[in-house]
Amino acid sequence: MSRRGSKQSDFNHPLQSSASSSAAGGRGRGRGRGHSAPSPPAQTFYPRPVQTSSAASPAPSTAAPPRAVAPVPASAGPGPSRPPPVQASPAPVPGSGAVATTAPPAVQTVTSALEKQLTLETSAPSSSKAVRFPDRPGFGIAGRKIQIRANHFQVKVAVPEIYHYDVAITPEITSKKVSRDVIDLLVRAHCESILGNRMPAYDGRKSLFTAGPLPFEIKEFKAKLGDNDEPGSSATSTSSRKKREREFRVTIRFASKTDLNHLTQFLSCRQLDCPQETIQALDVVLRATPSEMFDVVGRSFFSPELGPKGPLGNGTEYWRGYYQSLRPTQMGLSLNIDVSARAFYEAIPILDFISKNFRLDLRRPLPDQDRIKIKKALRGIKVQVNHGQNIRRYKVTAVTKEPLRALMFTDENGTKKSVVQYFQEKYNISLQYTQLSALQAGSDTKPIFLPMELCQIVAGQRYTKRLNEDQVTALLRATCQRPRDREDSIRKIVRQSKFSTDKFARHFQIEVREDPVVLDARVLPPPMLKYHGSGGESQVQPMMGQWNMINKKMIAGGTVEHWTCLNFSGRIHRDLPYQLCQNLAEMCNSRGMRFKQSPVVPITSSPSGQIENALRNLHKQCKQANIGLQLLIIILPDVKGSYGKIKRICETELGIVSQCCQPRQLGKMSKQYLENLSLKINVKVGGTNTILNDAYVHRIPHVSDVPTIIFGADVTHPQPGEDSSPSIAAVVASMDWPFVTRYRGVVSAQKHRDEMIHDLYIGDPAAGIPHSGIIRELFRAFRNSTNRKPERIIFYRDGVSEGQFNQVLLYEMDAIRKACSSLEPGYLPPVTFVVVQKRHHTRLFPADHGPRARDSTDRSGNIMPGTVVDTTICHPREFDFYLNSHAGIQGTSRPTHYHVLFDENKFTADELQILTNNLCYTYARCTRSVSIVPPAYYAHLAAFRARYYIEGDTSDAGSSTGGKGISASFEVKLPSVKGNVADVMFFC
């Protein structure tokens, strides 16, 4: 319990720079939330803020910095020269504002209180104390009703019980394929005699499922498997290389019996917790047959039999396949099937692979730096040699430092012999490339040397490293399908799967419908957008997810007086930089900005090899002349690879806001290109392009009534194979309530592949650790910007898989609560926590692909922008929905899945769906609606920008060692973004 004025508020402290981003200082006071309150009822563990109407709580002035907003000529019609200021006089917060030395009681107890709130029992029973996500608050009714199809196929299960058995194989097998071979051998040998004619479904690891009990509780079997892959030495005699058999001991032990009644009760919303073990068992059954037939990658299957393969370049090719997953939905169990493609190594000779990846003269010895590159490219790849009686396979562990001709080994007679001599005597092979290094397999103590010219890459190996831009482009081009073609491909996969005759599906009495589900959907209307009144049009309603800037001016145009341009391209005409800047200044001015025509420093050109010197010299020149450079226009070099370096130097070292331009775009100098540049530049200098008209008239539910801060958060992880790079967390927050279009971003580095955002709140004053963290920094920036403190939080969290929902919610909600309490005792604004999922395999198709579907499809043949689904294929009980907020350009649109994990603001389905859809029209970089809600999009951009800051610093760490993942804990300090850059949307 707290009393007004009895404790100190931290809101009026100057902003402190975090390790990742510095914030502008400022002062301000606001009403405290320190009123006395009795213990809350069971369903409300945290005091809610006093809800005030917009009349009682007038909107604050716009958050656009005064230095960046240009005076605009008097309006010919209605409309403000900037988002209109409304006077606000918040009550002062008592207290001196000194930093507290002890954590408030709310900070100390918030974790246990949050866990208690999240695990409250509701009317439906639960078999375990799991986190309770909010119930669906009803179904949405807004919008025009339509019917569409989804790539979900209804599944019915008749088997009453499924028995789960633990499987232990000795010696241990790491390969799922080999494990399946062992169990398959066992089943074929003992199905009738010992297994009681059961047809076990095996997951390739530790679990085996049967439809009914096996006739034993525990039993041990022996299985002998032919071995083609056991590594041998190059000096081993041919006779000892004959195919051996490996013997395994397999122990099958009863683990549990699955009652499908629990699943039935859950699907009908009479049971709260989802019986994941039952769904996993059924999923294993439906995956058993394709797991035997195809290459398994996660939840997907790939094979040349599933479609034509094609080259991707650099010794890689794509294989076609499909994704399959069993999901609980409102219609019952649903099998989600989608087409897929993935990169694999081409089954080509090693020398061809090296030639495709490296420009080397193979007639010369390998320089050490090239040998290390080849080693990095080949390590872990399986190769095969067929110079003996049998084809042998080996896994590459290294590339020898010595050339092949210098390699010696001791044969079985104890005689030292060269590898070249051995192959000549043993196989009558005269090796041609003896100056090259050899591939090494086996261990360092017992190495196996393989001449490169005799090795070929084994087919069917997944390429796990980062694809370059050309490979990504080739993969997208090869797999991009229009909605009709994609749906036809999915239907074909379902027909080929033949679930009706599948031996496992029949044994477990599982029926899968072959027709995709038809479901009800709604098309939400696009929002009205507000522009400046001095333009020809002060309002516009987008059509098909897009609009244009003709006869429109930005709602708050920024001012650019001090600017210049640096050109690093050597191929463009020398007059093009001047022409670009002149045209760009005219475009910015015509769109409502005040952009000075002449640069403050003459436009210059520099060689692409002198980027850092040119930037530092320019910065030094401006500093000596006491010029505060507001914008630097940069024409990028002709060769890719300098963008990240430029952004790192400008944003973290020099404090320069920059706008980069591609040299290939300058030849066209199209109006559309210049307009897009002007949109980016305006928000980078503190302006605002457009706002929602509903925000202008204070008509957004749960946003307009009280000061509301909207967060977007994301964690991006390094590319596969990069074991040394950290994960990057980024959080952005709106700074211009009630307009929610301008965001401030903070980034931080954290442990490798850690999904939780650890810097949301930091502090333990009792241990000498002061309060800090991302939430505090952004809250105080909001206070400085709006002169109000947030009274409501909407948190869009990107990049979380379903298996991480509980963990992320508990950890990050706890951090949010602690951060709020540390700012002011008893300060706990209500939170709505929404996960944003883009990486899923649900696709939505028009019910009719023909000409009659024009009123329900866009020009690409995809479903309409604004299409929302919260029935049939959504969660049986929880608050989730699919939203296709954008118009398709090519291929098949992917809707975004929004799942509400926590909701103290009590959104209705329509309110949250409409808010999310409308926000998708406020993305600053274009005049189109985007596919994910902009705060999450901005967080994604900020995280990727931060990765540029450390790119190259750790890329080679550990690359010359044989260990795997030894650098994963290598700590990288992310450089701070300079304060003047952090104040604006530098990530756009």
Side-chain angles (χ1 to χ4, degrees):
M1 185 179 296
S2 60
R3 294 182 180 179
R4 181 170 299 183
S6 64
K7 300 246 180 140
Q8 296 166 348
S9 169
D10 203 26
F11 262 117
N12 55 350
H13 296 175
L15 279 175
Q16 299 173 350
S17 297
S18 70
S20 55
S21 176
S22 55
R27 295 181 179 271
R29 294 183 179 272
R31 169 177 290 175
R33 189 172 311 287
H35 59 277
S36 298
S39 296
Q43 294 294 333
T44 308
F45 268 82
Y46 302 108
R48 313 262 184 176
V50 178
Q51 300 294 320
T52 56
S53 65
S54 57
S57 177
S61 60
T62 180
R67 62 171 174 76
V69 179
V72 183
S75 172
S81 61
R82 54 183 289 185
V86 181
Q87 297 302 319
S89 301
V93 176
S96 65
V99 177
T101 56
T102 59
V107 176
Q108 297 170 347
T109 61
V110 71
T111 301
S112 60
L114 177 64
E115 289 178 351
K116 189 174 181 182
Q117 183 178 10
L118 289 175
T119 56
L120 286 176
E121 294 293 340
T122 59
S123 56
S126 169
S127 63
S128 64
K129 190 178 179 183
V131 172
R132 305 285 176 254
F133 301 137
D135 287 343
R136 188 181 303 279
F139 297 97
I141 58 173
R144 178 170 58 89
K145 293 182 179 180
I146 60 170
Q147 281 199 325
I148 59 176
R149 281 193 296 270
N151 60 336
H152 285 243
F153 300 82
Q154 191 171 24
V155 175
K156 293 184 179 179
V157 182
V159 66
E161 295 175 335
I162 296 178
Y163 285 72
H164 177 202
Y165 292 85
D166 286 333
V167 176
I169 302 176
T170 308
E172 187 177 355
I173 302 173
T174 57
S175 167
K176 278 189 174 183
K177 186 178 186 308
V178 177
S179 296
R180 286 193 174 99
D181 290 341
V182 170
I183 298 299
D184 181 59
L185 187 67
L186 183 151
V187 171
R188 283 190 279 113
H190 305 293
C191 182
E192 294 182 7
S193 59
I194 302 178
L195 301 180
N197 278 317
R198 301 295 184 194
M199 184 72 65
Y202 177 53
D203 71 348
R205 290 291 183 209
K206 304 289 186 182
S207 294
L208 182 143
F209 302 96
T210 60
L214 294 175
F216 53 82
E217 292 281 326
I218 180 172
K219 197 166 187 65
E220 185 177 289
F221 299 85
K222 288 185 179 180
K224 292 185 178 180
L225 186 69
D227 176 22
N228 289 318
D229 300 326
E230 182 71 23
S233 169
S234 295
T236 307
S237 65
T238 306
S239 59
S240 64
R241 287 197 184 180
K242 292 180 181 178
K243 183 175 176 180
R244 306 192 308 179
E245 287 186 333
R246 288 183 291 174
E247 183 172 284
F248 298 94
R249 285 187 294 111
V250 181
T251 303
I252 298 178
R253 183 193 308 267
F254 173 75
S256 63
K257 182 175 71 171
T258 300
D259 183 4
L260 271 78
N261 182 59
H262 186 176
L263 176 61
T264 304
Q265 295 292 313
F266 171 77
L267 293 172
S268 59
C269 299
R270 290 192 291 270
Q271 189 81 25
L272 274 178
D273 55 321
C274 178
Q276 289 291 352
E277 66 282 356
T278 306
I279 295 175
Q280 177 195 358
L282 295 171
D283 193 51
V284 169
V285 172
L286 291 174
R287 298 170 61 81
T289 296
S291 295
E292 293 176 352
M293 299 171 59
F294 309 127
D295 286 90
V296 184
V297 181
R299 291 188 171 274
S300 298
F301 306 101
F302 297 95
S303 172
E305 300 174 16
L306 294 172
K309 58 184 180 180
L312 291 177
N314 293 64
T316 62
E317 61 188 6
Y318 65 84
W319 285 17
R320 298 185 188 273
Y322 67 96
Y323 168 92
Q324 177 180 307
S325 178
L326 191 65
R327 303 181 58 80
T329 65
Q330 293 169 29
M331 69 175 178
L333 288 176
S334 168
L335 194 63
N336 180 205
I337 293 182
D338 190 24
V339 292
S340 185
R342 187 172 284 273
F344 284 78
Y345 287 98
E346 285 185 289
I348 56 176
I350 284 291
L351 292 184
D352 290 353
F353 179 83
I354 292 174
S355 298
K356 289 186 176 186
N357 279 275
F358 309 99
R359 296 179 179 177
L360 299 175
D361 185 354
L362 298 180
R363 295 168 298 180
R364 299 176 178 272
L366 290 176
D368 198 53
Q369 59 183 12
D370 290 330
R371 181 190 64 81
I372 292 174
K373 290 179 182 178
I374 293 174
K375 171 185 173 182
K376 189 174 180 181
L378 293 178
R379 188 168 52 198
I381 294 180
K382 287 183 179 180
V383 297
Q384 66 184 33
V385 292
N386 56 1
H387 52 268
Q389 294 182 352
N390 300 304
I391 296 177
R392 303 301 306 278
R393 295 179 178 179
Y394 305 86
K395 182 178 286 188
V396 177
T397 57
V399 174
T400 61
K401 293 181 180 180
E402 302 85 359
L404 181 64
R405 60 191 172 204
L407 289 174
M408 306 290 289
F409 71 97
T410 304
D411 65 12
E412 57 240 21
N413 299 321
T415 306
K416 255 199 164 182
K417 189 176 292 186
S418 75
V419 173
V420 175
Q421 179 187 359
Y422 170 80
F423 276 90
Q424 179 67 58
E425 295 176 355
K426 194 74 176 176
Y427 303 110
N428 196 26
I429 296 175
S430 298
L431 297 173
Q432 303 297 312
Y433 295 88
T434 59
Q435 75 285 353
L436 295 179
S437 301
L439 301 183
Q440 181 178 321
S443 63
D444 290 337
T445 54
K446 292 184 178 180
I448 303 166
F449 301 125
L450 306 170
M452 287 188 181
E453 61 192 274
L454 301 183
C455 296
Q456 177 162 322
I457 295 174
V458 175
Q461 294 183 79
R462 180 164 57 108
Y463 185 78
T464 58
K465 296 182 176 65
R466 181 177 185 173
L467 295 174
N468 60 39
E469 288 187 26
D470 292 336
Q471 289 172 317
V472 171
T473 301
L475 184 62
L476 292 176
R477 187 183 298 118
T479 57
C480 184
Q481 288 181 296
R482 290 291 192 193
R484 169 180 278 183
D485 298 331
R486 193 183 192 104
E487 186 180 356
D488 288 344
S489 298
I490 293 169
R491 287 173 177 263
K492 182 180 178 182
I493 287 168
V494 176
R495 289 194 301 268
Q496 289 177 342
S497 297
K498 298 179 181 178
F499 291 108
S500 59
T501 58
D502 180 85
K503 61 182 180 180
F504 293 100
R506 292 184 66 181
H507 187 74
F508 283 80
Q509 302 176 50
I510 300 176
E511 178 188 342
V512 181
R513 292 196 55 169
E514 290 194 356
D515 294 322
V517 64
V518 177
L519 57 130
D520 294 326
R522 292 167 289 115
V523 180
L524 300 177
M528 187 72 73
L529 301 177
K530 181 74 176 172
Y531 281 91
H532 194 273
S534 64
E537 297 179 28
S538 62
Q539 291 184 345
V540 62
Q541 188 153 29
M543 299 288 292
M544 285 294 182
Q546 56 187 325
W547 65 102
N548 57 57
M549 287 289 292
I550 298 174
N551 296 326
K552 299 175 191 69
K553 289 190 176 181
M554 299 160 179
I555 190 76
T559 298
V560 181
E561 292 185 349
H562 302 149
W563 66 275
T564 190
C565 175
L566 271 178
N567 170 40
F568 293 113
S569 171
R571 296 181 183 175
I572 63 173
H573 192 274
R574 63 182 182 181
D575 293 334
L576 264 180
Y578 302 91
Q579 185 181 346
L580 166 69
C581 294
Q582 181 181 358
N583 293 346
L584 186 56
E586 291 175 359
M587 175 61 72
C588 289
N589 285 319
S590 71
R591 293 297 176 254
M593 294 179 64
R594 188 166 68 184
F595 199 111
K596 194 173 180 180
Q597 289 285 344
S598 56
V600 69
V601 174
I603 297 171
T604 57
S605 295
S606 293
S608 59
Q610 298 293 319
I611 289 175
E612 187 165 353
N613 288 338
L615 291 171
R616 295 191 185 281
N617 290 338
L618 174 64
H619 183 253
K620 183 178 179 181
Q621 185 179 353
C622 291
K623 199 171 182 180
Q624 289 174 346
N626 199 26
I627 297 171
L629 195 64
Q630 292 173 292
L631 177 70
L632 173 60
I633 300 167
I634 297 174
I635 300 174
L636 292 169
D638 304 293
V639 180
K640 297 177 183 178
S642 300
Y643 178 84
K645 181 180 182 180
I646 290 170
K647 290 297 183 182
R648 175 180 57 80
I649 295 171
C650 287
E651 294 168 359
T652 69
E653 298 180 24
L654 306 180
I656 296 175
V657 176
S658 59
Q659 177 58 55
C660 294
C661 307
Q662 290 285 359
R664 65 174 181 271
Q665 295 284 354
L666 302 189
K668 308 173 188 176
M669 201 82 69
S670 68
K671 184 178 179 181
Q672 182 67 51
Y673 178 66
L674 294 172
E675 191 173 88
N676 285 346
L677 286 180
S678 71
L679 294 175
K680 295 179 182 181
I681 289 172
N682 189 47
V683 295
K684 286 181 179 179
V685 297
T688 303
N689 294 339
T690 185
I691 60 173
L692 296 170
N693 191 64
D694 282 350
Y696 178 71
V697 297
H698 306 282
R699 208 165 52 199
I700 303 179
H702 300 295
V703 173
S704 298
D705 55 344
V706 296
T708 300
I709 186 168
I710 300 182
F711 284 93
D714 190 18
V715 177
T716 62
H717 304 293
Q719 291 285 339
E722 294 183 14
D723 294 327
S724 58
S725 297
S727 293
I728 303 291
V731 183
V732 304
S734 59
M735 294 285 121
D736 59 341
W737 180 81
F739 306 113
V740 293
T741 57
R742 190 165 63 84
Y743 292 80
R744 180 186 182 91
V746 180
V747 294
S748 68
Q750 54 189 48
K751 290 181 180 178
H752 181 73
R753 301 206 177 277
D754 192 343
E755 186 53 52
M756 257 64 66
I757 303 177
H758 291 275
D759 290 341
L760 289 179
Y761 170 74
I762 302 169
D764 186 356
I769 304 172
H771 301 302
S772 63
I774 294 172
I775 297 294
R776 284 173 55 93
E777 179 176 339
L778 291 173
F779 264 53
R780 293 169 63 194
F782 181 96
R783 174 61 183 267
N784 290 339
S785 180
T786 65
N787 203 31
R788 301 289 294 274
K789 63 182 180 183
E791 294 185 31
R792 180 179 289 119
I793 301 170
I794 301 172
F795 199 96
Y796 286 102
R797 177 64 157 92
D798 197 3
V800 183
S801 64
E802 290 180 3
Q804 298 169 315
F805 279 4
N806 291 8
Q807 191 179 7
V808 169
L809 175 65
L810 284 171
Y811 185 91
E812 295 182 6
M813 270 301 304
D814 184 49
I816 293 169
R817 289 306 197 203
K818 286 180 177 177
C820 292
S821 296
S822 73
L823 286 165
E824 181 178 297
Y827 174 60
L828 296 164
V831 181
T832 297
F833 194 106
V834 186
V835 166
V836 182
Q837 290 180 299
K838 194 69 175 171
R839 293 186 176 181
H840 60 81
H841 287 269
T842 292
R843 298 294 182 271
L844 305 176
F845 304 102
D848 184 358
H849 291 287
R852 294 177 297 176
R854 290 179 181 174
D855 62 339
S856 60
T857 62
D858 61 20
R859 286 185 297 180
S860 67
N862 279 288
I863 56 174
M864 298 267 284
T867 300
V868 64
V869 173
D870 60 3
T871 62
T872 312
I873 60 172
C874 292
H875 195 278
R877 178 186 63 84
E878 295 167 10
F879 188 5
D880 71 327
F881 58 91
Y882 291 93
L883 174 63
N884 187 82
S885 53
H886 65 299
I889 298 176
Q890 60 179 356
T892 302
S893 296
R894 174 163 46 187
T896 300
H897 187 212
Y898 296 91
H899 203 129
V900 181
L901 302 190
F902 194 69
D903 183 27
E904 293 181 312
N905 292 301
K906 305 303 178 188
F907 274 93
T908 67
D910 278 332
E911 286 170 347
L912 187 59
Q913 291 166 12
I914 291 171
L915 171 65
T916 304
N917 184 59
N918 288 357
L919 286 175
C920 291
Y921 287 79
T922 65
Y923 186 62
R925 304 207 307 176
C926 60
T927 53
R928 299 177 65 95
S929 60
V930 289
S931 61
I932 64 172
V933 69
Y937 205 145
Y938 292 143
H940 185 74
L941 293 177
F944 267 85
R945 176 63 58 82
R947 191 161 296 283
Y948 284 127
Y949 299 159
I950 57 174
E951 193 175 66
D953 293 347
T954 60
S955 60
D956 293 327
S959 62
S960 61
T961 63
K964 184 178 180 181
I966 62 166
S967 305
S969 59
F970 184 81
E971 290 189 8
V972 177
K973 183 173 175 58
L974 197 62
S976 300
V977 179
K978 294 294 183 181
N980 64 308
V981 179
D983 284 342
V984 296
M985 296 172 67
F986 65 94
F987 41 80
C988 280

